[in-house]
Amino acid sequence: LEEEAELRQLRASHERARVVFELASTLSATLSSNAVLETILEVGEAGMQDLDRPGTSHVGIVLLSIREGLHIVAARHVSERDQRIVFSGSRGTLAQALASAEPVLSDNPGADPELSQLSAMRSCREAIVVPLRAGFESFGAVVFGSAQAGAYTEDHIDLLMAICSQAIVALQNAQLYQSLMQEKEHIVSVEEDARKKLARDLHDGPTQDIASIAMRVNTIRMLFDRDPSRVPDELVQVEQMARRTTTKIRHMLFT
């Protein structure tokens, strides 16, 4: 019996290691927040089925802190209507997990003041809430529910904690990457607007001035034959126009 128990424990440890390794491999290959969130639930459910008997269905949701509430950003076996629910995270199991930064079990999620808002949770006999936390910053929580009582053993808890620890790093990287991409798009947009403005300013300002200078020079060339006495005044006017145009172009380049 002891050998069988040790063998089961060894197999469970092996499965945990395999699941976490697969999770790390998957997360290292993506910089999409949505992919990370879906992977949390997919790998979490698959890992618990490996540790449990196959075919066990688990309700799963990922909650992220957005503005003044916890929003469902990924879900398994939850109706579309329930996915629009916003949790406050101030009562029941959710509040305990967020405050303690540790996984919290609920043996009656159907009576929980917040989890009971989900119709899928009312048929569950046990639920577990694992906070998504990095340092002192809380990002949200992962919630799994099972129709079996006592479904979440120490092995399951260790597995979910490992999954969430890996996922939160990938989620931070994905969010950072998205922020950088948004900043890049913003910079490109600003540069494009600046180029368009410069083109308009050049067209409406110096380009017109240079065209006027060319016309004035042509007039001066004709005055050499018709009225040479007017040439010096015209040259002064052309010089002033050229200086004003130079000043405009320098101002545009500086801007």
Side-chain angles (χ1 to χ4, degrees), residues 113-147:
E114 292 207 60
L115 295 180
S116 60
Q117 297 179 68
L118 296 169
S119 56
M121 280 292 178
R122 296 171 196 156
S123 59
C124 293
R125 299 182 63 187
E126 189 173 54
I128 182 172
V129 179
V130 183
L132 290 172
R133 195 176 184 90
F136 295 102
E137 185 176 1
S138 177
F139 287 82
V142 179
V143 182
F144 280 99
S146 175

Side-chain angles (χ1 to χ4, degrees), residues 187-199:
I187 292 173
V188 170
S189 176
V190 169
E191 290 180 345
E192 183 63 24
D193 291 342
R195 282 193 292 268
K196 290 179 180 179
K197 183 179 184 302
L198 179 60

Side-chain angles (χ1 to χ4, degrees), residues 42-109:
E42 181 179 348
V43 176
E45 184 174 5
M48 286 187 289
Q49 287 184 0
D50 287 337
L51 292 175
D52 208 339
R53 55 178 178 270
T56 304
S57 178
H58 294 267
V59 175
I61 60 173
V62 179
L63 301 170
L64 288 186
S65 298
I66 302 174
R67 293 185 291 277
E68 297 299 325
L70 293 169
H71 295 249
I72 298 177
V73 292
R76 286 283 192 279
H77 311 299
V78 176
S79 67
E80 292 185 5
R81 183 185 67 82
D82 284 354
Q83 292 182 35
R84 293 191 290 269
I85 296 174
V86 179
F87 301 89
S88 65
S90 59
R91 299 177 298 163
T93 310
L94 280 175
Q96 295 177 34
L98 294 175
S100 65
E102 295 290 340
V104 177
L105 286 170
S106 172
D107 57 4
N108 189 10

